[in-house]
Amino acid sequence: MLPCVRWLQSLLALLSSTMPTWGQNSCPSRCLCPDPHTVNCSGRELTSLPDPIPLDVRRLVLSDNSITGIPSDFLILYSDLVHLDLRNNLLSRIEPGTLSTSSRLVFLDLSCNNLTEIPPGTFGESRSLIKLRLGNNSLLSKVSEDAFQGLTSLWELELQGNALSCLDVRVLSRLPSLRRVRLEGNPWVCNCSFIKLFTWLSENTLKLPTGMKGIECIISKNENRTDLSRLSKESFQKCRVTPMDYIIVIFSGVAVLVAGIVASFFLATTAHCCQRWSETSKGDNDENDA
């Protein structure tokens, strides 16, 4: 019995000596791996993704670098990833579908980058995503209506400190699990296109960290920013369509139609009279020549 135990111990020792250790070979160079499922490459002056990244990584921190892009197939191999931190990099675009394979991703931070827009399909249908940070992208001026389609578990959304002047209210209303949203620090314009978003915000103030306070908009070019907490639905009174407006539109349409008919009749009559006059004049000239 004893020789068998010694043989087994020798085999285990041989295997342990030949297998690579986590700290030496599995952790990317210049990064820290405090546990077998965490890779921390924050502030390492990276310009691209580190290599190799362990396939079983669950928490990947790549913040405070100069990374300019993410390959569209980046997440295909990392099916266990739940936490991805890419804040404070140089990302200008996330290709649609890049995150569609992240079936377990719960936390995603893309704040403080150079994103300019969030097009449809950017996040695929990452149904497990709970927290999404997109704030402080100073060039981000457009969020597509379907940018967050399929994010049925999204609990918290950050869009503060961007360059948004308008936002389709369906971007927010289609998120059934949304409990917290940040929109302050954007150059909102309170025109007639803003009224639907204003109405949604008024009805969902509990989802705003400070309520309507801190969210400012410009009512006209000659006015300073106005806090939304000082506005009401009556502030957009000029944008409302009343029954009288419909009557005016219908009457205007009818008036234009009648005017068109009268003008056509007048032109046709004038053209006919000119033709008759021309024929009469030609006949008189022929008689005089005879």
Side-chain angles (χ1 to χ4, degrees):
M1 185 70 178
L2 186 58
C4 292
V5 174
R6 289 180 178 176
W7 178 83
L8 182 59
Q9 290 175 342
S10 300
L11 179 62
L12 292 175
L14 178 62
L15 291 174
S16 62
S17 64
T18 57
M19 292 178 63
T21 59
W22 171 266
Q24 293 176 347
N25 296 326
S26 297
C27 190
S29 61
R30 302 167 63 186
C31 300
L32 300 175
C33 299
D35 63 67
H37 299 292
T38 299
V39 176
N40 189 342
C41 304
S42 178
R44 300 295 174 173
E45 299 181 353
L46 300 176
T47 56
S48 59
L49 298 180
D51 186 59
I53 299 175
L55 297 180
D56 59 350
V57 64
R58 295 178 184 172
R59 187 172 186 269
L60 180 57
V61 181
L62 299 169
S63 59
D64 302 317
N65 287 294
S66 300
I67 298 173
T68 58
I70 303 176
S72 58
D73 58 350
F74 168 60
L75 293 177
I76 292 178
L77 297 176
Y78 305 104
S79 58
D80 292 333
L81 190 65
V82 298
H83 181 110
L84 180 56
D85 187 349
L86 282 160
R87 72 181 184 275
N88 197 25
N89 276 281
L90 300 177
L91 299 173
S92 59
R93 177 176 173 82
I94 302 296
E95 293 296 331
T98 300
L99 303 168
S100 61
T101 57
S102 55
S103 59
R104 296 186 181 181
L105 193 64
V106 172
F107 175 92
L108 177 60
D109 193 340
L110 294 170
S111 61
C112 302
N113 276 280
N114 294 329
L115 299 177
T116 58
E117 68 172 309
I118 308 297
T122 298
F123 304 99
E125 293 192 1
S126 303
R127 299 185 183 278
S128 60
L129 193 62
I130 293 177
K131 189 169 185 176
L132 177 58
R133 290 180 173 176
L134 293 168
N136 298 307
N137 283 276
S138 59
L139 302 177
L140 180 56
S141 60
K142 181 179 179 181
V143 177
S144 170
E145 172 191 335
D146 299 322
F148 308 131
Q149 185 175 2
L151 304 185
T152 54
S153 299
L154 191 64
W155 183 279
E156 184 173 337
L157 174 63
E158 295 186 359
L159 288 169
Q160 79 283 1
N162 294 318
L164 298 172
S165 60
C166 60
L167 183 68
D168 194 312
V169 70
R170 289 171 290 189
V171 170
L172 303 177
S173 62
R174 290 177 177 176
L175 297 173
S177 301
L178 189 64
R179 294 295 179 272
R180 187 173 184 269
V181 58
R182 294 187 61 183
L183 297 171
E184 70 274 11
N186 283 286
W188 301 111
V189 176
C190 284
N191 52 22
C192 294
S193 300
F194 190 78
I195 187 170
K196 290 184 179 180
L197 179 60
F198 179 82
T199 301
W200 187 93
L201 294 174
S202 301
E203 296 172 351
N204 293 272
T205 53
L206 294 178
K207 297 179 180 180
L208 306 173
T210 59
M212 301 281 272
K213 293 181 179 180
I215 304 178
E216 299 177 335
C217 73
I218 300 174
I219 297 180
S220 65
K221 294 182 179 180
N222 298 326
E223 293 186 14
N224 296 326
R225 295 179 182 272
T226 302
D227 199 292
L228 293 190
S229 61
R230 298 180 179 180
L231 302 179
S232 63
K233 292 183 179 180
E234 283 67 30
S235 303
F236 300 90
Q237 186 70 34
K238 64 179 181 180
C239 300
R240 294 182 179 180
V241 179
T242 64
M244 181 58 68
D245 295 327
Y246 286 113
I247 293 175
I248 293 175
V249 171
I250 294 173
F251 178 78
S252 300
V254 172
V256 170
L257 178 62
V258 171
I261 294 174
V262 172
S264 299
F265 177 78
F266 176 77
L267 290 174
T269 303
T270 303
H272 180 71
C273 291
C274 291
Q275 184 179 6
R276 293 291 301 273
W277 178 82
S278 177
E279 292 176 353
T280 303
S281 300
K282 183 178 181 181
D284 294 339
N285 290 335
D286 292 340
E287 291 178 357
N288 292 332
D289 292 339

